[in-house]
Amino acid sequence: FKRVSNRAGLYFFVSGACPYCKEQAKIVHWFSADYGWNVISVARDFCTPEYPNCMVNPDLFTVFRATYTPSLFLIYRRSDNKPAIFPVGNGLTDYQTLKSRIFYYLKQLEEEKNQLLKTEFNPEKF
């Protein structure tokens, strides 16, 4: 997780009045502290001090199709600088489940990258 912290982060969709969001914030802080990941909180209504790097932007809920709070999305910057976006939490998600889901998508991205490397090299051309 630390190895990709410069390429990956979390979008954390919240509501200021959501009690589950406040509990999820503790888990998100813990993950961020352990691995150095950047977290951007997006509030539907208002921000509270529990939410890191918080902004009020209800339109982003539509863009990400975040219908529940809390919701978490993994954002990963690929080598071509295009973002890959994956939902990793919908509702209150415990620490281990969050790590497992993030690991699953990172593993998929790594396999995709390795597959691209395999197909880009053509020894017959040399």
Side-chain angles (χ1 to χ4, degrees):
F1 291 112
K2 285 185 179 181
R3 183 175 57 87
V4 297
S5 65
N6 62 335
R7 302 184 71 78
L10 293 173
Y11 268 73
F12 178 30
F13 287 85
V14 299
S15 171
C18 168
Y20 300 107
C21 297
K22 290 179 172 64
E23 289 302 312
Q24 188 70 62
K26 295 174 189 173
I27 296 165
V28 168
H29 280 292
W30 182 13
F31 181 84
S32 179
D34 282 353
Y35 300 110
W37 281 37
N38 190 30
V39 177
I40 297 175
S41 300
V42 181
R44 183 184 314 256
D45 45 13
F46 61 92
C47 294
T48 67
E50 292 94 354
Y51 306 137
N53 302 320
C54 190
M55 67 172 134
V56 176
N57 191 336
D59 293 337
L60 274 182
F61 278 76
T62 304
V63 171
F64 278 78
R65 296 187 181 118
T67 54
Y68 301 100
T69 59
S71 287
L72 289 160
F73 290 84
L74 163 66
I75 307 296
Y76 181 84
R77 187 173 24 104
R78 298 174 193 247
S79 56
D80 62 1
N81 279 329
K82 293 182 180 174
I85 302 168
F86 305 99
V88 293
N90 209 358
L92 186 56
T93 306
D94 67 78
Y95 187 79
Q96 283 307 118
T97 302
L98 178 62
K99 280 179 53 176
S100 295
R101 290 176 181 170
I102 291 171
F103 181 78
Y104 171 80
Y105 286 116
L106 291 177
K107 185 82 173 147
Q108 297 300 314
L109 288 163
E110 192 68 25
E111 288 174 7
E112 179 182 298
K113 183 173 98 177
N114 289 339
Q115 190 63 33
L116 287 173
L117 289 174
K118 289 176 190 171
T119 58
E120 287 176 348
F121 179 72
N122 188 347
E124 289 81 31
K125 289 185 177 181
F126 297 99

